[in-house]
Amino acid sequence: MRALISVYDKEGIVEFAKELVNRGWEIISTGGTYNKLKDAGIDVISVDKLTGFPEILDGRVKTLNPKIHAGILARRDLKDHMETLKEEEIETIDMVVNNLYPFEEKLLENADHETMIENIDIGGPSMIRAAAKNYKDVYIVTDPADYKLVLEYIDKKDPKFNEYLACKAFSYTAHYDAVISDYFSKRQGEKFPRYINKSYKLVEELRYGENPHQSAAFYEDSYTLDKIEYKVLHGKQVSYNNLNDMYSALNAVINFEKPAAVAIKHTNPCGIGTGDSLEEAFVKAYECDDESIFGGIIALNREVDVKTAEHLSKIFLEIVAAPSFSKEAYDLLAQKKNIRLIEIPDFEKLYDPGFRFKQVLNGIIIQNSDDVIWDQDKLDFVSNRKPSETELEELKFAFTCCKTTFSNSVVIAKNGGTLALGQGETKRSWAVEEAIERAGEKIKGAVLASDGFFFRDTIELLHKAGINVIVQPGGSVKDQEVIDYANENNICLVFTNMRHFRH
């Protein structure tokens, strides 16, 4: 039995090779791996001696030789294959131990382009794929963590184990090629490349999915240069729903420059607040809906201070996520056993717009992020009554909040905090009715923002409720009816000429 060993990651390889030799295996090797095994006193045959052809082109060509690939690919159960090997004086190779040049590692180091090119492995993937294709006859070992397992199984002749190794090998080369493909696509600046090749690594299995009867796991885009590191400072394992809700909360809170707090329940905002301090911002978010926030997710865009922590500690919350926590705030909140405190030191990286995708029938749809919030130059002050500077700031806040809610949605706001949110309705007037009812008596002096245009029935509802400062995208064939009603009733109406649908 012969094993061809050629690895970049040499951890554990000497011990593994020694054990193979002890079991009667013959070892073939290349380059640095050959030298390491030879220096360890292992009897090893060099590839160039086997092929009769030297390594050339600075090592770019070593194993790309028929005596290597035929030895790997020949089917032992086919008589003509074995006869061909005999005629060509080629011996079988029964195990390939290989891992690849560190392209991904160099990418994370932000290496220059020439270095990246030299770390594209050619011979390695070819050998791995050849051995994996012929897995019934050849062991393909790509993960040093499997060395011990391989030694347990090589005497058992278990075809399921060989297939397990092949599956792992094909996943490995697919990941490797995906990283390279993605690297070149980004260099080309392709907005929507012909193929999207992304690869994700399993990080952990989660307790369950959206519901206890669903299994779930977290996979990470492991080679992104913009990975956002976070630390679970306190609390149990973060769940599937926690990760989903936290993502929604963070994508909402990053839209605000002032100290801000966003409360999320089932991916929906139930309160958003801004203020001169984080404490003020949180109180506004809490007061918007002091019931739904129970068991919710809180995202904050400033370090959590002890005053804010005092408010947080009085409520049952699943997660509090923030750039950092003061020692006093952490000590106070960590007294609560079930709360998860998540620190995101690289908070500014959340502002990277990137792309968003959704799974649909037969594939995915992809779009760039909705990263334009409010364009002052595109505003149309369509009513006779114009907003004051204070009212315009309130409208901007409310419209920004609309960007974070699910359509159809409206936001009633006052003094930099949401009073009520109506969202996820199939009819906009229902969203308005819902928000008006939730705002109650606090509605006097408030403003309203809508994520999409609306008709006369909606502005009539708002006027009757006492809201007379409104922002909406415009763009309907019935816009003039809405404008006429605003002018007849001294309502301030602003069109943004952009909408913020979120589905």
Side-chain angles (χ1 to χ4, degrees):
M1 304 292 281
R2 308 177 101 198
L4 195 162
I5 302 178
S6 179
V7 292
Y8 179 82
D9 180 358
K10 297 176 177 57
E11 181 181 354
I13 195 60
V14 169
E15 294 77 12
F16 182 60
K18 282 182 177 178
E19 186 57 34
L20 288 176
V21 170
N22 290 340
R23 298 186 185 202
W25 284 68
E26 192 172 54
I27 307 296
I28 308 159
S29 192
T30 66
T33 308
Y34 171 85
N35 293 330
K36 187 170 184 67
L37 298 179
K38 192 75 173 174
D39 291 344
I42 296 172
D43 189 13
V44 57
I45 302 167
S46 67
V47 163
D48 56 353
K49 184 176 180 181
L50 178 74
T51 62
F53 198 90
E55 294 184 16
I56 60 172
L57 306 181
D58 298 319
R60 284 190 171 199
V61 179
K62 292 181 284 194
T63 57
L64 297 170
N65 188 286
K67 288 198 172 184
I68 297 295
H69 285 272
I72 296 170
L73 283 164
R75 284 181 54 178
R76 280 53 161 178
D77 61 335
L78 294 181
K79 185 178 179 181
D80 60 334
H81 279 208
M82 301 312 292
E83 287 178 349
T84 298
L85 291 192
K86 188 174 181 180
E87 290 169 7
E88 300 297 333
E89 298 181 343
I90 298 172
E91 294 187 48
T92 59
I93 294 173
D94 308 291
M95 180 186 294
V96 172
V97 185
N98 188 264
N99 52 65
L100 306 174
Y101 292 165
F103 187 91
E104 185 176 344
E105 182 181 313
K106 296 301 177 184
L107 180 62
L108 295 172
E109 292 173 2
N110 203 24
D112 62 82
H113 184 58
E114 288 305 312
T115 300
M116 298 309 303
I117 295 299
E118 290 308 311
N119 278 277
I120 297 175
D121 205 319
I122 303 300
S126 299
M127 284 194 299
I128 290 171
R129 288 173 60 81
K133 178 176 180 175
N134 204 25
Y135 71 88
K136 291 181 180 179
D137 295 315
V138 182
Y139 296 98
I140 173 58
V141 187
T142 56
D143 185 353
D146 284 334
Y147 292 163
K148 184 177 180 181
L149 197 60
V150 171
L151 293 171
E152 290 177 11
Y153 272 87
I154 54 176
D155 296 326
K156 296 179 182 180
K157 308 295 182 185
D158 184 345
K160 289 185 178 180
F161 178 68
N162 285 42
E163 188 170 339
Y164 156 78
L165 292 175
C167 176
K168 199 164 185 177
F170 281 124
S171 296
Y172 178 50
T173 57
H175 170 73
Y176 192 78
D177 286 338
V179 177
I180 296 170
S181 171
D182 190 56
Y183 169 77
F184 274 94
S185 290
K186 287 177 179 176
R187 276 183 61 83
Q188 293 299 307
E190 294 177 285
K191 188 173 183 180
F192 297 113
R194 180 176 175 81
Y195 300 102
I196 297 174
N197 296 300
K198 298 292 291 182
S199 182
Y200 298 86
K201 274 184 183 174
L202 176 65
V203 175
E204 63 177 333
E205 291 188 23
L206 302 173
R207 288 181 295 147
Y208 52 80
E210 283 187 278
N211 301 290
H213 64 275
Q214 294 171 273
S215 58
F218 172 53
Y219 283 78
E220 183 178 69
D221 186 351
S222 59
Y223 60 88
T224 178
L225 295 176
D226 300 314
K227 185 164 67 176
I228 297 170
E229 302 288 350
Y230 67 88
K231 302 173 185 175
V232 181
L233 301 180
H234 173 78
K236 57 189 176 183
Q237 182 189 31
V238 178
S239 72
Y240 177 99
N241 288 330
N242 290 158
L243 288 167
N244 193 32
D245 289 339
M246 186 170 71
Y247 188 62
S248 291
L250 294 170
N251 272 304
V253 80
I254 60 172
N255 292 292
F256 303 98
E257 295 178 5
K258 295 175 69 175
V262 174
I264 291 285
K265 194 68 174 289
H266 302 304
T267 71
N268 297 312
C270 61
I272 302 174
T274 59
D276 293 329
S277 69
L278 197 63
E279 178 189 18
E280 180 187 349
F282 175 75
V283 168
K284 290 176 183 178
Y286 171 77
E287 290 179 346
C288 178
D289 186 346
D290 60 5
E291 293 183 6
S292 296
I293 198 172
F294 180 85
I297 308 291
I298 307 298
L300 307 161
N301 66 353
R302 297 289 194 279
E303 179 177 87
V304 181
D305 57 87
V306 71
K307 288 185 177 180
T308 306
E310 286 172 357
H311 294 282
L312 294 166
S313 67
K314 295 173 183 176
I315 318 163
F316 168 63
L317 298 168
E318 288 276 353
I319 284 179
V320 177
S324 58
F325 295 78
S326 73
K327 184 179 184 306
E328 295 82 0
Y330 174 82
D331 289 343
L332 175 60
L333 292 171
Q335 294 176 29
K336 298 174 71 70
K337 180 181 178 181
N338 291 322
I339 196 171
R340 299 165 180 86
L341 304 179
I342 298 182
E343 181 181 74
I344 308 174
D346 298 327
F347 204 82
E348 70 281 356
K349 287 186 178 180
L350 291 164
Y351 292 89
D352 177 30
F355 285 90
R356 300 290 181 266
F357 67 87
K358 285 188 177 182
Q359 186 172 354
V360 293
L361 184 66
N362 297 328
I364 62 171
I365 48 179
I366 187 169
Q367 64 177 348
N368 67 303
S369 299
D370 183 9
D371 57 333
V372 179
I373 303 171
W374 175 270
D375 190 336
Q376 194 85 10
D377 295 333
K378 288 186 176 180
L379 298 181
D380 281 340
F381 302 96
V382 294
S383 61
N384 294 332
R385 177 183 165 186
K386 309 304 179 189
S388 67
E389 287 188 15
T390 299
E391 289 172 333
L392 192 59
E393 279 301 306
E394 292 280 42
L395 290 174
K396 180 180 179 181
F397 169 77
F399 195 64
T400 302
C401 291
C402 259
K403 174 181 177 290
T404 72
T405 58
F406 284 95
S407 302
N408 286 319
S409 73
V410 297
V411 172
I412 297 175
K414 183 164 64 175
N415 299 328
T418 54
L419 297 185
L421 302 98
Q423 56 185 322
E425 294 290 357
T426 53
K427 187 176 180 181
R428 190 165 305 279
S429 61
W430 292 348
V432 171
E433 289 170 352
E434 179 183 314
I436 289 171
E437 181 182 351
R438 289 178 175 179
E441 296 179 359
K442 297 182 290 183
I443 203 168
K444 185 178 181 181
V447 305
L448 177 133
S450 173
D451 66 345
F453 63 68
F454 53 71
F455 303 139
R456 182 179 173 120
D457 61 343
T458 297
I459 198 169
E460 286 178 351
L461 280 171
L462 294 171
H463 180 55
K464 288 175 184 176
I467 292 182
N468 296 303
V469 181
I470 302 165
V471 64
Q472 60 129 312
S476 166
V477 294
K478 296 185 178 181
D479 276 351
Q480 193 57 51
E481 290 182 18
V482 178
I483 294 169
D484 290 343
Y485 185 89
N487 288 333
E488 291 165 10
N489 294 278
N490 195 34
I491 294 172
C492 172
L493 183 62
V494 178
F495 285 0
T496 61
N497 293 300
M498 75 168 65
R499 72 183 188 197
H500 284 307
F501 282 174
R502 183 176 174 223
H503 300 112

